[in-house]
Amino acid sequence: MWKVDPMSLRLFVAVCEQGSIAQAAQREAMSAAAISKRIADIEKDIGTPLLSRSQRGVTPTAAGQVLLRSARSLISQINKLQCELSEYASGIQGHVRLLANVSAISEFVPEELTAFFKKYERIRVDLEERVSPEIAQGVADGAADLGICRDFVPTEGLQVIPYRTDHFAVVVHDTHPLAGRACLRFDETLHYDQIGLSPNASINVLMTRIAAEKGVELRYRTHITTFDAACRFVQAGLAVAVLPIEVACRYTTSYGLKAIPLEDAWATRRFIICCRQSDSLSIPAQRLLDHLIERMPATPAARPAHTKK
């Protein structure tokens, strides 16, 4: 049975990335002979070649590709472990990796983390923005401890906690023909140019599908990645934008805009918190999860028990 050696794994990855043992030796400041011996020892222990050698260099065999994928993951985990342990020496008492989508980050995550840090000032939280499908997948793959995303994403094998809701509105300039309306159906906006969020955002897919069902091609003037930028384009009179009203209301007065609530059932959207089974969470991650749940809006629909999917 081959005993995993982190140094040998790192050298194997270097050889695969450089395509040459000699170049890997230069990168790692080791002799080529020493690297060759380490790889030969692995091949001997597992009983199969890992590299295919030719005059042009080396490439991983099928077995080598399997090892390369796993080696990169293991090295990444080891590096994270070293970083997290070193933080304890500097006074940090825990590390949580959190993924969240742009709506969550714009609407409530900063306030929630600020309140959390007041209670646990020595816990570090690394926040990364991703789209909802990537968030659930990232948590499942171990790239994060917790994720905040929309509830439509596949969550098999994860623990899922229904969390919050928000509501979409059509944001228009206050001189727009629709500005006098108190509420709207989305199909009433289809003949106006739209500002889309990032091309892989779920709301774009939904809006495009609805337009197609009405026999209309949705006209996107542009796609942007921030709500502020969307409101600036609306302010310039270039198009309308469908945005969470909880975010849009921050810009309406200063930008001369109006946010008109959508009547469509889909315009009420739900957030979930997802994690691997909570009994496997670290103490800092469990504390953040408990904090988020405790601060959920105090409505019966917003405070359900933990559920599993």
Side-chain angles (χ1 to χ4, degrees):
M1 179 67 69
W2 172 51
K3 294 182 179 179
V4 178
D5 173 15
M7 174 59 75
S8 295
L9 290 179
R10 185 164 65 85
L11 296 174
F12 176 75
V13 170
V15 170
C16 292
E17 290 178 347
Q18 298 298 123
S20 161
I21 291 177
Q23 291 180 20
Q26 291 181 345
R27 185 176 107 176
E28 299 297 324
M30 289 184 65
S31 70
I35 294 178
S36 293
K37 184 178 186 310
R38 281 182 175 265
I39 293 176
D41 288 343
I42 299 174
E43 291 176 324
K44 179 181 177 182
D45 287 341
I46 65 176
T48 189
L50 297 172
L51 296 175
S52 176
R53 295 162 173 82
S54 69
Q55 292 181 344
R56 291 180 302 223
V58 298
T59 56
T61 63
Q65 290 173 354
V66 172
L67 178 60
L68 179 61
R69 287 194 299 270
S70 296
R72 283 173 169 158
S73 176
L74 286 169
I75 290 170
S76 175
Q77 292 299 317
I78 290 170
N79 289 338
K80 288 178 181 178
L81 175 61
Q82 290 173 332
C83 289
E84 291 181 23
L85 290 176
S86 67
E87 289 171 350
Y88 283 89
S90 61
I92 299 297
Q93 295 181 347
H95 186 165
V96 185
R97 297 162 298 169
L98 173 65
L99 302 180
N101 65 7
V102 64
S103 295
I105 291 173
S106 299
E107 293 178 33
F108 52 80
V109 167
E111 291 79 8
E112 295 304 323
L113 290 184
T114 297
F116 179 75
F117 292 141
K118 288 179 180 179
K119 292 194 294 183
Y120 303 106
E121 61 181 15
R122 292 189 176 182
I123 294 179
R124 173 181 166 185
V125 178
D126 284 343
L127 172 64
E128 182 179 343
E129 178 190 323
R130 294 195 191 179
V131 295
S132 288
E134 293 178 359
I135 291 170
Q137 189 61 53
V139 173
D141 291 343
D145 302 295
L146 302 173
I148 303 175
C149 58
R150 297 296 186 182
D151 66 350
F152 63 85
V153 299
T155 55
E156 184 177 359
L158 296 177
Q159 180 165 343
V160 175
I161 301 98
Y163 184 38
R164 290 173 176 255
T165 60
D166 61 1
H167 310 80
F168 277 85
V170 178
V171 181
V172 300
H173 193 277
D174 60 9
T175 61
H176 193 277
L178 296 175
R181 299 286 298 275
C183 56
L184 282 170
R185 299 187 316 276
F186 174 67
D187 59 20
E188 296 179 88
T189 73
L190 293 178
H191 297 290
Y192 298 98
D193 288 347
Q194 304 270 347
I195 300 296
L197 298 179
S198 58
N200 56 350
S202 60
I203 189 66
N204 292 347
V205 176
L206 176 61
M207 290 164 52
T208 301
R209 191 190 75 215
I210 293 172
E213 291 172 352
K214 298 292 183 179
V216 178
E217 182 178 354
L218 199 60
R219 302 196 307 261
Y220 284 115
R221 179 59 68 93
T222 187
H223 288 85
I224 51 81
T225 57
T226 68
F227 295 135
D228 176 75
C231 289
R232 292 293 299 274
F233 275 98
V234 175
Q235 180 189 35
L238 293 176
V240 303
V242 175
L243 303 174
I245 197 169
E246 290 80 0
V247 174
C249 65
R250 301 176 186 175
Y251 301 97
T252 51
T253 301
S254 58
Y255 285 5
L257 308 178
K258 183 173 181 183
I260 308 168
L262 283 170
E263 296 178 326
D264 307 74
W266 60 262
T268 297
R269 309 285 281 175
R270 294 174 177 83
F271 293 102
I272 58 174
I273 301 173
C274 57
C275 61
R276 294 179 299 282
Q277 298 306 310
S278 60
D279 57 6
S280 68
L281 289 176
S282 66
I283 292 176
Q286 186 65 56
R287 284 177 175 167
L288 178 57
L289 177 60
D290 292 342
H291 169 82
L292 294 173
I293 294 172
E294 288 168 3
R295 288 173 55 89
M296 282 196 295
T299 61
R303 302 185 70 90
H306 292 207
T307 59
K308 297 181 182 180
K309 284 189 180 181

